[in-house]
Amino acid sequence: MHETERIKDRTEGGAKLAERLGAYARRPDVIVLALPRGGVPVGFAIAQALDVPLDVLLVRKLGVPGNEEFAMGAITSDGVYVLQSDVLRNFDISAKIVEATAQRKLKELAQREKLYRADRPALQLEGRTAIIVDDGLATGSTMLAAIKAVRKAGAARLVIAVPVAAPDAIRQIESQVDETIFLMAPEPFYAVGMWYDDFGQTSDDEVVAFLDKAAKRQAQIKPGKDISA
């Protein structure tokens, strides 16, 4: 895609990414990890095209107190987090404030994980190739936390796949992983939603439906095989 083009919606973004990820199709070691909520429709399209399992990796932005949209870092559901040291310094944010914010976000993540997974356990990552997916990269904070968590879980190879990304975020991310796939890295970037025709919010119900459908599909493809082990 040329940078002047736009993406119709998250599903189209995932389908176009899948075309570039063909080398990973039907490989038993591959798993797609989508960052909810917006990354799930993208990840579902990729997992469906490649015939590989889909799971979620829950990450929440740690917002600056009083300005929650401005990230001072991000945290995953298992407590792995990254911090933007320059933001902490510029806003004079103490370790106590960071810890309190992190604990609050962990509670939110636990609730969402229970909702999204239902009774399904998280899929095993050790020794596998993880394709981490979101609907876009702006600052890269949440993706950096996701990368750290997946590395900690023992994944053998990390691939980042996003439809659109800020050039600065790509430069920050690509040195941390084995491969980075994106459709567009426009400059000036502005915001992820600027490059979609339809960037409506993905609901919790939609996330649950995508994950249920993906789990049922994998059960049919590999009857009797426990993909969580």
Side-chain angles (χ1 to χ4, degrees), residues 3-81:
E3 292 190 354
T4 54
E5 294 180 359
R6 294 170 62 81
I7 302 162
K8 179 182 177 183
D9 55 22
R10 293 178 177 90
T11 296
E12 181 185 78
K16 289 185 178 296
L17 286 169
E19 294 173 4
R20 302 191 182 190
L21 292 162
Y24 298 99
R26 292 176 292 280
R27 280 178 38 180
D29 65 311
V30 172
I31 179 173
V32 173
L33 295 174
L35 276 57
R37 291 179 284 192
V40 175
V42 184
F44 178 81
I46 293 172
Q48 187 175 46
L50 301 184
D51 276 348
V52 296
L54 172 70
D55 201 357
V56 285
L57 178 58
L58 282 91
V59 187
R60 289 300 298 271
K61 176 171 58 181
L62 296 175
V64 171
N67 188 5
E68 291 295 323
E69 291 304 309
F70 196 84
M72 63 179 176
I75 189 167
T76 68
S77 58
D78 57 357
V80 174
Y81 62 87

Side-chain angles (χ1 to χ4, degrees), residues 109-170:
L109 287 167
Q111 292 171 347
R112 287 195 179 276
E113 190 156 31
K114 183 177 181 180
L115 172 65
Y116 294 158
R117 292 194 197 281
D119 295 325
R120 291 187 298 268
L123 301 186
Q124 179 62 248
L125 300 182
E126 187 171 358
R128 303 183 79 167
T129 293
I131 302 175
I132 310 176
V133 178
D134 204 353
D135 54 12
L137 286 179
T139 66
S141 291
T142 54
M143 186 60 76
L144 285 171
I147 290 167
K148 189 175 180 180
V150 174
R151 287 283 188 209
K152 182 180 177 182
R157 180 176 176 82
L158 266 65
V159 180
I160 303 302
V162 294
V164 59
D168 286 347
I170 287 292

Side-chain angles (χ1 to χ4, degrees), residues 167-180:
D168 286 347
I170 287 292
R171 286 189 285 270
Q172 187 179 26
I173 293 294
E174 61 186 358
S175 64
Q176 306 295 317
V177 297
D178 298 288
E179 188 175 2
T180 306

